[in-house]
C-alpha cells in the first residue's frame, strides 16, 4: 500500500492557528499496539501500518503528499484560570484523512514544538496506553470520543521521576477545534477590532461539524446551539457510566462534542458525586457531580468568544447568548433523565424520577459500586433475592411495582468498564514490556455489555488493598 493521502485543510484555512513543524525522529520505533478495526474504518491497511514505512507514518516521520504537519495554537481556562496562549506543546496535526468523512490524524508525544513552554515534548508508554484503553472503552460504550489508532514505542528513554520508555500516540478525531481555539482568536479580535479571523474560525467549525447551521437565520447562533446540544448529550453520557474526566479545562472541550484528553480520568466505583481522582484537583472543581456545571461554565466562555457574531449590538448579543446558555441545564437533564430511566428499565413519570433519586441516595449512603449495582439490579428483577444488599429491600418493592423492563437492563448497563486497578496493573506490565494484560483488557472492554465466562475479575471493583486511587496528568 502507498502512503495514505492527507489534506491540510486546517493549516490552509487557519494558518494563524497553525505552526508548521516536524515530528522528532524516534531512534528505534516499535509498534506497541495497533487498532486494526479503526484502521479498516479509515481505509488504512494494517499490514502496511506495521511496516517500517507505516511506523514512519504513525510517528510523523513520513509526511504524506498533501499534508502539512502543524502544531495548533489555542488558549484556555485551566482550573478556572485563563492562560492566553497554550497550544500543542508535544503534539502535531499531521493532516486530515477524508475516508467517508474527514478526520484528523494527530500525534501526541512527537517532540517539542514552539508551544512546549519548557516541556520536553515527549510522552511515555504508560500514559499513551491509558488514552488508548480509555478512549476505546468510551467508544465501545457508545460515547462520542477521539479514537486511538496506535501507540509506537520510540526506543528512547524519557526522564520523569525515573527513566521510562518513550512513546507516540496516533490519535483520530473529528477535529481538534476547542473552546480554547475560539478563546485565542477572540482575544486577538478584542485587541485589534478585526473580526475576520474569528469569522473564518466559526465558518470552518460550521463547515466541518454543523453544516446545517448555514441554513439558519444566524449561522453563528446556530453553531452555539449545536455545540451546546452536543455537549449536554455528551456530559449526560459520562454521568451515566460514572466517567470522571478530571481536567475539564476549556482547551479540553471540543467543538465537535467528542471526549478528548484522557490524562487524569477514571471511572467511579463507589457512587459519590464528590468523587475526584486527579491529584491536582485539590478543590474538587472537576468532581464527578460537578461535570454538568463545569460544562455550562465552559460553554459560557465559548459564548463570550462569539458575541460579536451573534447580534448587531453587544446588549442584544448578550441577551441572545444568555437565553441560549440557560437552555443547557434543561437539555442536559433531558438527556440524563432519559438515560437513567433506561438504566433502571423505567418509563417517565413522577414516581420513576423519585425512585431514581432514592436509589442514588442509597448508593451514596452505602458506598455501593455504581457499575455493578445496575447489573445486580437486573438479577434482582429476574428473581435473585441476594442480588442487592438488604438496604434496598423496600426500594426494590417499589421498583417492581412500576413494572420495569428487566430484560432491557443488561443492554444499557455495562458489566465491564476499565476498572482503575486493572488499568494500573496493565500499564505497569506494559511499561515493563509485558503487553498481554493490556491486550486482554482491550478485548474485554471492547464488548462492555456482553457477560462472558471467566471474566468475573474484570467486572469486580478494586479490592480494599488497592487503596485510595489517584490519577495524574501523565506525560
Amino acid at each position: 500500500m502507498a502512503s495514505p493521502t492527507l489534506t491540510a485543510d486546517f493549516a490552509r484555512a487557519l494558518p494563524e492557528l497553525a505552526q508548521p513543524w516536524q515530528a522528532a525522529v524516534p531512534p528505534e520505533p516499535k509498534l506497541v499496539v495497533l487498532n486494526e478495526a479503526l484502521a479498516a474504518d479509515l481505509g488504512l491497511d494494517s499490514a502496511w501500518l506495521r511496516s517500517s514505512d507505516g511506523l514512519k507514518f504513525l510517528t510523523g516521520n513520513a509526511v504524506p503528499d498533501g499534508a502539512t504537519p502543524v502544531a495548533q495554537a489555542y488558549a484556555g481556562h485551566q482550573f478556572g484560570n485563563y492562560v492566553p496562549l497554550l497550544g500543542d506543546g508535544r503534539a502535531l496535526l499531521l493532516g486530515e484523512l477524508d475516508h467517508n468523512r474527514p478526520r484528523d490524524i494527530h500525534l501526541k508525544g512527537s517532540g517539542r514544538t514552539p508551544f512546549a513552554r519548557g516541556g520536553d515534548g515527549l510522552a511515555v508508554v504508560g500514559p499513551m496506553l491509558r488514552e488508548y484503553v480509555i478512549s476505546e472503552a468510551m467508544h465501545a460504550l457508545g460515547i462520542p470520543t477521539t479514537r486511538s489508532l496506535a501507540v509506537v514505542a520510540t526506543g528512547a528513554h524519557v526522564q520523569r521521576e525515573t527513566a521510562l520508555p518513550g512513546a507516540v500516540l496516533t490519535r483520530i478525531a473529528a477535529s481538534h477545534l476547542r473552546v480554547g481555539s475560539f478563546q485565542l482568536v477572540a482575544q486577538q479580535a478584542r485587541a485589534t477590532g478585526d473580526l475576520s479571523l474569528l469569522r473564518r474560525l466559526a465558518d470552518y467549525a460550521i463547515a466541518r461539524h454543523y453544516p446545517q447551521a448555514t441554513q439558519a437565520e444566524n449561522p453563528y447562533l446556530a453553531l452555539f446551539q449545536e455545540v451546546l446540544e452536543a455537549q449536554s448529550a455528551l456530559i449526560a453520557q459520562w454521568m451515566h457510566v460514572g466517567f470522571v474526566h478530571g481536567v475539564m479545562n476549556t482547551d479540553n472541550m471540543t467543538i465537535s462534542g467528542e471526549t478528548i484528553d484522557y490524562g487524569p480520568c477514571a471511572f467511579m466505583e463507589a457512587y459519590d458525586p464528590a468523587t475526584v481522582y486527579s491529584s491536582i484537583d485539590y478543590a474538587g472543581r472537576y468532581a464527578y457531580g460537578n461535570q454538568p456545571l463545569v460544562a455550562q461554565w465552559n460553554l459560557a466562555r465559548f459564548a463570550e468568544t462569539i458575541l460579536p457574531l451573534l447580534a448587531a449590538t453587544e446588549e442584544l448579543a448578550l441577551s441572545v447568548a444568555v437565553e441560549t446558555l440557560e437552555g443547557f441545564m434543561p437539555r442536559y437533564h433531558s438527556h440524563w433523565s432519559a438515560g437513567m430511566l433506561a438504566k433502571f428499565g423505567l418509563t417517565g413519570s413522577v414516581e420513576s424520577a423519585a425512585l431514581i433519586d432514592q436509589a442514588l441516595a442509597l448508593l451514596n449512603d452505602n458506598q455501593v459500586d455504581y457499575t455493578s449495582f445496575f447489573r445486580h439490579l437486573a438479577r434482582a428483577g429476574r428473581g435473585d433475592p441476594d442480588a442487592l444488599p438488604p438496604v434496598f429491600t423496600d426500594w426494590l418493592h417499589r421498583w417492581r411495582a412500576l413494572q420495569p423492563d428487566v430484560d432491557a437492563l443488561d443492554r444499557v448497563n455495562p458489566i465491564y468498564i476499565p476498572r482503575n486497578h486493572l488499568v494500573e496493573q496493565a500499564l505497569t506490565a506494559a511499561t515493563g514490556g509485558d503487553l498481554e494484560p493490556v491486550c486482554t483488557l482491550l478485548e474485554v472492554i471492547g464488548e462492555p455489555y456482553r457477560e462472558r465466562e471467566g471474566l468475573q475479575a474484570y467486572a469486580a471493583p478494586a479490592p480494599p488493598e488497592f487503596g485510595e486511587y489517584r490519577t495524574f496528568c501523565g506525560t
Side-chain angles (χ1 to χ4, degrees), residues 9 113 115-116 122 162 237 272 279 315 369 431:
D9 289 347
T113 77
F115 305 115
L122 304 176
T162 60
Q237 288 178 283
D272 182 355
S279 61
E315 182 180 5
D369 183 72
T431 299

Side-chain angles (χ1 to χ4, degrees), residues 36-104:
E36 295 194 359
L38 177 57
D41 183 53
L42 295 169
L44 300 175
D45 183 349
S46 292
W48 180 81
L49 289 172
R50 293 179 181 277
S51 71
S52 59
D53 286 343
L55 292 182
K56 290 177 182 177
F57 168 73
L58 291 171
T59 55
N61 294 134
V63 179
D65 291 342
T68 301
V70 296
Q72 294 175 298
Y74 45 86
H77 279 87
Q78 300 196 319
F79 288 89
N81 300 307
Y82 186 64
V83 182
L85 181 60
L86 292 167
D88 289 335
R90 58 169 180 159
L92 286 178
L93 172 64
L94 283 186
E96 298 86 13
L97 177 65
D98 195 350
H99 183 76
N100 299 324
R101 58 189 173 94
R103 279 174 279 190
D104 284 2

Side-chain angles (χ1 to χ4, degrees), residues 123-128 153-159 162-168 430-433 475:
V124 299
V125 165
M128 297 305 96
T154 62
H157 278 84
V158 177
Q159 190 62 41
T162 60
L164 296 170
V168 174
T431 299
T475 59

Side-chain angles (χ1 to χ4, degrees), residues 268-331:
M268 178 177 63
E269 295 209 332
Y271 178 80
D272 182 355
T275 296
V276 173
Y277 291 111
S278 173
S279 61
I280 60 173
D281 191 2
Y282 307 113
R285 177 183 177 88
Y286 298 143
Y288 169 75
N290 286 349
Q291 292 180 133
L293 290 170
V294 172
Q296 186 181 43
W297 191 90
N298 287 351
L299 288 166
R301 307 290 76 75
F302 178 53
E304 290 168 352
T305 70
I306 58 172
L307 279 178
L309 306 180
L310 295 183
T313 67
E314 183 176 0
E315 182 180 5
L316 183 55
L318 279 169
S319 175
V320 169
V322 169
E323 181 182 2
T324 303
L325 189 64
E326 287 175 346
F328 173 81
M329 279 301 174
R331 292 304 304 143

